[in-house]
């Protein structure tokens, strides 16, 4: 039971802060501003937990240490660029596919629409900047990594993606978030770097904010 609490603790902290901000500041700030504030307040705690986990050196080294190698600066820049673009492209593709299936005809997306109606600056600071950093630390850097020390890789990917989807609360966002979380976990296994995951996440969310005209409205990770 203590191990289960250890795995769930980062998410519990994040959700508790989010709910607290919604109760205390929901009548003052818009949805995106509340999201940004929640991410900003949780971020220091997430970073501290991540450092604690890395300091423990379970099984000699963190599970992803084997894939951490020094790379040339050109490859790192290319990798970062591909992650940002890849997140945006996958966001457009998957959102378009779900729109084609008319998912919104079966489920309400009121929460999403409320968030998108927030001020543009708040959207950029919150969902496009702070949220990707905080959520990748909480869900991949901590939750997935902790599962990975005790479970099979495939099971860890599935369960962490499922938890990530469920924590979004909205059925449409759950359907969207699950496969995106699987991709992020696979990217973490491949790269061993949270930086690439954060950039991928930023690319996906930024695409949602910038989409205009006839392009399908994308969803949030």
């Amino acid at each position: 039971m203590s191990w289960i609490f250890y795995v769930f603790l980062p998410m519990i902290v994040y959700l508790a802060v989010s709910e607290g901000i919604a109760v205390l500041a929901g009548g003052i700030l818009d949805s995106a501003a509340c999201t940004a504030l929640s991410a900003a307040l949780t971020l220091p705690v997430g970073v501290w937990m991540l450092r604690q986990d890395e300091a423990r050196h379970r099984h000699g080294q963190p599970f992803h240490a084997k894939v951490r190698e020094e790379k040339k600066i050109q490859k790192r820049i290319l990798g970062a660029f591909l992650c940002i673009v890849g997140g945006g492209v996958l966001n457009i593709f998957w959102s378009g596919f779900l729109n084609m299936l008319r998912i919104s005809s079966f489920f309400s997306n009121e929460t999403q629409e409320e968030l998108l109606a927030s001020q543009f600056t708040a959207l950029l600071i919150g969902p496009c900047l702070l949220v990707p950093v905080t959520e990748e630390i909480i869900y991949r850097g901590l939750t997935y990594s902790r599962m990975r020390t005790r479970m099979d890789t495939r099971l860890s990917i599935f369960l962490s993606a499922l938890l990530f989807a469920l924590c979004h609360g909205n059925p449409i966002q759950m359907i969207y978030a699950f496969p995106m979380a699987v991709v992020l976990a696979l990217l973490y296994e491949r790269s061993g770097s949270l930086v690439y995951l954060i950039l991928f996440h930023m690319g996906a969310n930024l695409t949602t904010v910038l989409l205009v005209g006839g392009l399908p409205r994308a969803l949030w990770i």
Side-chain angles (χ1 to χ4, degrees), residues 38-77:
S38 299
L41 292 177
T42 308
L43 183 57
V45 180
V47 171
W48 178 78
M49 287 183 175
L50 189 63
R51 288 178 175 175
Q52 291 295 310
D53 278 13
E54 291 180 346
R56 289 189 178 94
H57 295 289
R58 287 180 177 270
H59 304 295
Q61 289 182 324
F63 80 92
H64 50 270
K66 61 183 179 181
V67 298
R68 285 183 170 174
E69 300 176 355
E70 289 297 324
K71 297 179 180 180
K72 293 181 180 180
I73 187 65
Q74 293 88 348
K75 290 185 177 180
R76 290 179 177 175
I77 294 175

Side-chain angles (χ1 to χ4, degrees), residues 85-107:
V85 173
V89 170
L90 185 58
N91 183 23
I92 294 173
F93 172 80
W94 185 231
S95 297
F97 179 72
L98 293 182
N99 287 333
M100 186 176 64
L101 296 179
R102 299 185 182 278
I103 297 296
S104 58
S105 300
F106 303 96
F107 303 103

Side-chain angles (χ1 to χ4, degrees), residues 11 139-140 143-145 147 151 153-166 178 181-182 185:
M11 290 187 301
Y139 290 102
R140 254 65 64 180
T143 303
Y144 172 69
S145 295
M147 286 183 176
M151 298 181 183
T153 302
R154 287 174 290 185
L155 181 60
S156 298
I157 291 174
F158 173 79
L159 290 179
S160 63
L162 180 62
L163 289 171
F164 181 68
L166 291 175
F178 179 81
V182 170

Side-chain angles (χ1 to χ4, degrees), residues 124-140:
L124 288 179
I125 295 175
C128 295
L129 181 61
L130 291 174
V131 169
V133 176
T134 301
E135 289 193 349
E136 290 314 311
I137 288 175
I138 295 296
Y139 290 102
R140 254 65 64 180

